[in-house]
Amino acid sequence: MAGERSKGGDLGFEAELFKAADKLRGNLEPSEYKHVALGLIFLKYISEAFEAQYEKLTGEEYADPEDAEEYLAAHVFWVPPEARWSNLQANAKRPEITFTDLTTGREKKGDIGGLIDNAMEAIEKANVSVLKGVLPKIYSRPQLDKTMLGELVDLFSNVDMKGGHDGAQDLLGRAYEYFISQFAGAEGKRGGEFFTPRSVVRTIVEVLEPVKGRVYDPACGSGGMFVQSERFVEEHQGRRSDIAVYGQERNHTTWRLCKMNLAVRGIDADIAWNNEGSFIRDAFPTLKFDYAMANPPFNISDWWQPSLGGDARWVYGTPPQGNANFAWLQHILHHLAPRGTAGVVLANGSMSSQQSGEGEIRKAMIEGDVVDCMVALPGQLFYSTQIPACLWFLARDKSANGHRDRRGEILFIDARKLGHMVDRTRREFSEADIETIAATYHRWRNRPETNAAQGLEDYADEAGFCRSATLEEVRSHGHVLTPGRYVGAADEDDDAVSFEERFGGLRTKLEGLFTDGRALQERIEVALGKVAAVE
């Protein structure tokens, strides 16, 4: 993803491929070109996986490489002959192509765009249980330059430099992730709707350490949380089958990106889509999850429906209709298993806001002892917003999961000074930064014998960076969770709240004072009227 350096001999491969593909974009907007390029990468990926299985079956005495069932058993997508990459590559530069139209069953003449759309249709029909409605069929549109499409097919045809299908699959999976990140950057605010920067995702994953159980994201975007979770399992010598992935996404276009992203990484997942979203139409109402990770949209105001009044999820208080921050937190808590943990990205205002009852909900969560750790993030980490953000880490049971008993304690980490600028507008955490945050949390959470076994020093507060605070201390701060108030930072009075959020809070307080003033004035006038009547 963005800023990620490849390992081994292919350093910068993804960046070079994106640069070459971007040159072919011409005047096409990134938001439109995204689906063109990513669809082709997906097509090339599943063709590579198919060809690898095809070669394997060809070498087996009783196997039939043209039997679709042989591929299903190996968790490989069946690719019909007309949809195989070799067919696309052979016809990429031809101005007119004859092929069988899958919709009508008749032979037709077309160009490379029509052939690609036909291939997408063929693959969807052959793998309908997984890919129905997922693949883009946009390539025959007149506004798409067919010379550009042919050159893109040629470009992606060269992704075989590892000398084998497995190597090409790995490169294509990495390329898909990287392309998503670059398109998110090019689209700016809109890009943030489908993409969470890799270093932020990586931080959440490294802190939570999802190694076994169910993983859930109620606003999953293009699936970055799941990709990083699977990668974490692999890096720690685990098995992919040890975790089960569940997600929900409201935007259908983003849902399709997610389904393809997970497919090119070989990740089996249950990703639900509906127009209503997780609040109105929860896709997994009865399921509980061991890990939840989410970067829901900040401060959304159009989430409420009357049917949500009295919902069982609002254990700590009904969220304000004008801001969904505490709705997301409570929705996620509702879905946590008895020993479940969660990491959630939210706007900084969630740590200190007193508006519309948010302070009372936060207080109830703190007193309910479900807040485990708070991390203040530096600015400019996100494509979509300049609003300062933070990470909430929640735990259903702070005495469980094989760690020390942390009941009555909250860890505060102020990471605002970490990270480095990767370009003029955006910051990223380095691997060392991520390790610093995750190791601080683990040293705090671990039992002393666990730290000793892992060669870690026992946790100690570090002025300006981290502090373990008691509930009593948090109460003394009015249940405000801004790390700067606890760690002793030089700017400890700075809540890092944006002007808009701070102004909104001040305005609300001022309106309340005006209301109180008017009520007092009315009471005085009534009292004076009574005195005048007596006289």
Side-chain angles (χ1 to χ4, degrees):
M1 289 188 175
E4 179 182 9
R5 283 296 187 181
S6 310
K7 297 176 182 177
D10 301 300
L11 191 66
F13 157 77
E14 303 97 318
E16 291 303 314
L17 188 66
F18 182 81
K19 189 186 298 181
D22 198 45
K23 282 182 180 177
L24 300 176
R25 179 165 63 89
N27 295 324
L28 211 59
E29 287 296 319
S31 58
E32 189 174 8
Y33 187 61
K34 170 179 68 193
H35 302 290
V36 174
L38 291 174
L40 282 176
I41 293 176
F42 177 83
L43 205 57
K44 179 67 159 67
Y45 171 86
I46 62 172
S47 286
E48 289 289 351
F50 172 84
E51 291 296 341
Q53 185 66 9
Y54 191 95
E55 288 181 5
K56 182 180 177 182
L57 292 172
T58 301
E60 295 178 2
E61 187 174 356
Y62 298 107
D64 179 5
E66 291 295 341
D67 181 2
E69 295 296 322
E70 299 271 17
Y71 297 84
L72 181 65
H75 301 287
V76 173
F77 291 116
W78 164 254
V79 182
E82 64 270 24
R84 292 171 193 172
W85 191 264
S86 55
N87 185 42
L88 300 183
Q89 188 177 0
N91 289 285
K93 298 294 180 66
R94 294 179 61 189
E96 187 175 87
I97 308 162
T98 301
F99 57 91
T100 301
D101 188 324
L102 285 176
T103 305
T104 63
R106 298 174 182 173
E107 194 172 86
K108 68 175 289 186
K109 294 184 184 297
D111 52 30
I112 184 60
L115 190 64
I116 295 171
D117 278 347
N118 208 52
M120 295 290 188
E121 190 71 43
I123 291 169
E124 274 199 7
K125 285 190 173 183
N127 305 275
V128 69
S129 63
V130 179
L131 296 178
K132 183 179 179 181
V134 170
L135 306 186
K137 292 172 277 290
I138 55 174
Y139 298 89
S140 57
R141 291 182 303 171
Q143 59 265 45
L144 281 186
D145 184 340
K146 301 310 182 283
T147 300
M148 175 269 288
L149 285 180
E151 290 176 349
L152 262 183
V153 171
D154 276 354
L155 176 65
F156 295 145
S157 295
N158 294 324
V159 184
D160 58 2
M161 58 187 70
K162 284 258 188 156
H165 294 293
D166 289 343
Q169 285 174 247
D170 179 58
L171 289 176
L172 288 160
R174 283 163 35 190
Y176 192 98
E177 290 178 67
Y178 186 83
F179 272 50
I180 286 179
S181 74
Q182 295 303 301
F183 285 125
E187 290 186 54
K189 184 172 182 178
R190 288 186 60 197
E193 295 175 4
F194 62 84
F195 179 77
T196 304
R198 175 192 173 276
S199 70
V200 177
V201 176
R202 187 78 172 173
T203 300
I204 294 172
V205 170
E206 289 291 330
V207 166
L208 293 183
E209 297 184 304
V211 290
K212 192 172 185 178
R214 291 171 172 168
V215 179
Y216 173 59
D217 185 344
C220 64
S222 55
M225 298 284 184
F226 304 134
V227 171
Q228 292 299 325
S229 295
E230 294 272 1
R231 187 168 287 154
F232 179 88
V233 171
E234 291 173 351
E235 289 174 354
H236 291 77
Q237 289 74 53
R239 296 175 303 176
R240 281 187 172 188
S241 57
D242 284 343
I243 68 171
V245 170
Y246 298 82
Q248 185 164 349
E249 173 55 44
R250 185 175 182 174
N251 183 296
H252 190 259
T253 301
T254 303
W255 172 80
R256 290 162 59 188
L257 289 179
C258 179
K259 293 279 284 186
M260 288 192 289
N261 190 20
L262 298 184
V264 299
R265 301 305 308 192
I267 298 172
D268 291 327
D270 187 347
I271 308 298
W273 166 80
N274 59 60
N275 277 323
E276 294 91 342
S278 294
F279 295 135
I280 308 299
R281 190 172 157 200
D282 189 349
F284 311 102
T286 61
L287 286 185
K288 302 295 182 182
F289 302 97
D290 301 286
Y291 306 96
M293 295 175 278
N295 175 24
F298 293 176
N299 303 325
I300 58 172
S301 59
D302 59 349
W303 71 283
W304 180 263
Q305 293 283 345
S307 61
L308 292 172
D311 194 286
R313 288 170 288 185
W314 316 145
V315 172
Y316 300 98
T318 302
Q321 298 181 15
N323 194 314
N325 288 345
F326 283 90
W328 286 115
L329 289 173
Q330 293 190 86
H331 173 87
I332 287 167
L333 278 167
H334 173 79
H335 276 291
L336 284 186
R339 295 187 175 187
T341 53
V344 186
V345 186
L346 282 179
N348 268 13
S350 63
M351 298 190 290
S352 59
S353 170
Q354 302 294 336
Q355 298 180 58
S356 306
E358 288 184 332
E360 288 302 311
I361 300 175
R362 184 174 57 251
K363 175 182 176 181
M365 290 176 60
I366 293 166
E367 295 296 337
D369 215 3
V370 294
V371 181
D372 204 28
C373 175
M374 299 297 301
V375 180
L377 298 174
Q380 298 179 277
L381 282 176
F382 298 89
Y383 295 106
S384 56
T385 180
Q386 293 303 310
I387 295 176
C390 61
L391 299 179
W392 289 66
F393 289 100
L394 309 173
R396 212 15 134 177
D397 183 352
K398 289 161 71 172
S399 70
N401 291 350
H403 308 301
R404 73 175 183 85
D405 190 337
R406 307 178 309 285
R407 286 176 292 184
E409 302 175 33
I410 298 175
L411 177 64
F412 292 93
I413 298 175
D414 190 342
R416 287 179 293 168
K417 293 180 181 178
L418 299 183
H420 59 282
M421 299 301 292
V422 292
D423 56 40
R424 187 174 55 84
T425 61
R426 203 172 62 81
R427 181 181 296 272
E428 270 189 0
F429 284 145
S430 66
E431 289 297 324
D433 293 331
I434 295 168
E435 172 63 20
T436 296
I437 295 169
T440 299
Y441 173 75
H442 295 153
R443 288 188 293 114
W444 174 79
R445 182 184 65 175
N446 286 346
R447 293 171 175 166
E449 57 269 28
T450 305
N451 280 331
Q454 295 179 355
L456 298 173
E457 295 180 3
D458 285 335
Y459 171 83
D461 291 339
E462 183 181 332
F465 179 66
C466 62
R467 178 176 171 79
S468 180
T470 64
L471 282 184
E472 194 56 45
E473 289 177 87
V474 178
R475 289 180 189 123
S476 72
H477 284 280
H479 295 89
V480 167
L481 293 176
T482 308
R485 293 199 174 199
Y486 300 90
V487 304
D491 54 344
E492 61 182 7
D493 291 327
D494 177 15
D495 288 343
V497 178
S498 70
F499 171 78
E500 290 81 1
E501 291 175 287
R502 193 183 300 279
F503 180 76
L506 291 172
R507 181 174 180 174
T508 300
K509 288 180 181 178
L510 190 59
E511 288 173 350
L513 290 173
F514 284 155
T515 300
D516 292 343
R518 285 191 292 269
L520 180 59
Q521 181 181 352
E522 288 173 4
R523 288 202 300 272
I524 292 172
E525 288 175 350
V526 170
L528 288 175
K530 289 179 180 178
V531 171
V534 171
E535 292 178 347

